[in-house]
Amino acid sequence: MRAVTIERFGDPSGMAVTDVPVPVPGPGQLVIETQAIGVGGVDAVIRRGTITGYGFTEGLIPGSEVAGMVTAVGAEVDESWVGRRVWAFTGGTGGYVEHAVVRADDVVALPEELSSIDAVTFGSSATVAHFGLAHAHFVPGESVLVRGAAGSIGIAAVELAARGGASAVAVTTSSAERGGRLQELGATHVLDRSGSGDPDAPASFDVVIDIVGGPDTPEFLDRLAPNGRLVLVGAVAGFPSADFGARLLSTFQQSRSVATFSLDTVPTPARDAARDELFAAAVRGELHAVVHDVLPLAQAAEAHRQMDAGTVFGRIVLVP
């Protein structure tokens, strides 16, 4: 089968289409003939080689979420999965393929009314946004700032915060055009990447959902209200500098806090129940899968070039 491999960390030119064996499921696994493959920000971070300390090595196949038809199951897996259309988490890598092998615990059956393309557009990102807001202890009436809102996690966070009764939903983004689209999805204030640009926006926020990270993270700690909480759910610009906590300590009496969030800490039953509800909300039209483009699997490098250029609004989806 065809797969896309990161032959060399760095820019997208290090990605190549390769031929690899069709996988055979082991115990507790199943194989999915992919119909859609989500291209996420974490894929780009892995491809750049910025988090090799987590065990990623050259030669890997990127891609963390796929949707398609189950074609085979391994031992200890219910055979009734065969022939069902599902969404699946691949474990962080292994998704840019025509046939993906996944753990049965990481599979969710898809509603008939939800396309595979829509499923991989927000199956993971909306779940991260949902639990990220919960991790921040967000409650109705609080103000929320979504930093880096034009990606799939940010869009989901905007919609969920607005739907959850936020008093204000501010976003940082790179252009007025993107800001307008985010306002259509529930944003009330549009800021530039530095957090400026709207004099009517709140000066501080109860919750900051940060998808960007990087060296400017401390600037957004300063935007927290007393008792405010910043939750880092992504790091597309890299991790904050090691001394970023000094900014937090300099405002000790404000009782601000910062946390990281990963879906790895959510028990499987809770994660799957939330994802089922998010898919159902999309079917009802309460949440929206924003697809930037659909490209052939062989054009995965082009998808990454667009992400690096900052031109993607929503998510690019690959199809075999």
Side-chain angles (χ1 to χ4, degrees):
M1 68 173 180
R2 290 184 308 160
V4 174
T5 304
I6 298 175
E7 302 292 317
R8 183 184 68 257
F9 285 138
D11 65 59
S13 67
M15 304 173 72
V17 179
T18 57
D19 289 321
V20 301
V22 174
V24 176
Q29 295 180 328
L30 45 76
V31 172
I32 299 168
E33 182 177 6
T34 58
Q35 298 172 342
I37 302 156
V39 180
V42 67
D43 301 347
V45 173
I46 291 170
R47 184 257 304 158
R48 294 177 193 128
T50 54
I51 53 174
T52 54
Y54 284 80
F56 299 109
T57 58
E58 292 180 336
L60 66 82
I61 297 170
S64 61
E65 64 182 308
V66 301
M69 200 70 68
V70 177
T71 58
V73 298
E76 305 169 6
V77 179
D78 189 341
E79 291 187 2
S80 67
W81 279 110
V82 176
R84 298 179 71 183
R85 195 169 59 91
V86 299
W87 175 96
F89 174 64
T90 67
T93 60
Y96 289 14
V97 292
E98 293 178 317
H99 298 268
V101 61
V102 300
R103 297 191 319 148
D105 287 346
D106 292 325
V107 171
V108 174
L110 285 175
E112 184 177 336
E113 304 89 344
L114 188 70
S115 73
S116 294
I117 287 174
D118 285 352
V120 299
T121 300
F122 76 101
S124 178
S125 55
T127 312
V128 169
H130 168 83
F131 283 107
L133 285 164
H135 201 63
H137 302 288
F138 164 70
V139 295
E142 290 190 315
S143 57
V144 177
L145 170 63
V146 181
R147 182 183 177 217
S152 54
I153 295 176
I155 289 169
V158 167
E159 289 204 297
L160 289 169
R163 184 177 168 216
S167 60
V169 182
V171 295
T172 70
T173 190
S174 60
S175 70
E177 186 271 335
R178 289 183 167 208
R181 295 182 69 181
L182 288 163
Q183 285 178 311
E184 293 173 359
L185 294 165
T188 57
H189 302 280
V190 177
L191 308 175
D192 61 23
R193 286 177 171 172
S194 72
S196 304
D198 181 350
D200 297 324
S204 60
F205 297 88
D206 299 301
V207 171
V208 175
I209 299 296
D210 191 347
I211 301 109
V212 181
D216 293 332
T217 301
E219 303 302 320
F220 289 86
L221 294 176
D222 289 345
R223 300 300 297 273
L224 288 172
N227 299 304
R229 294 86 67 197
L230 182 148
V231 177
L232 192 68
V233 300
V236 295
F239 291 131
S241 59
D243 62 350
F244 81 96
R247 189 72 67 91
L248 195 67
L249 292 172
S250 71
T251 59
F252 191 93
Q253 292 177 308
Q254 297 293 310
S255 300
R256 295 164 168 167
S257 60
V258 60
T260 59
F261 173 74
S262 167
L263 279 180
D264 290 345
T265 61
V266 179
T268 298
R271 185 189 62 209
D272 288 351
R275 190 169 281 123
D276 280 338
E277 171 51 32
L278 292 165
F279 284 152
V283 170
R284 294 192 299 266
E286 297 168 7
L287 296 176
H288 300 87
V290 179
V291 180
H292 179 82
D293 201 359
V294 179
L295 297 175
L297 176 62
Q299 293 186 25
E302 172 58 25
H304 278 243
R305 289 186 191 98
Q306 292 185 35
M307 286 198 296
D308 284 359
T311 59
V312 177
F313 185 87
R315 173 159 287 192
I316 296 179
V317 175
L318 304 175
V319 293

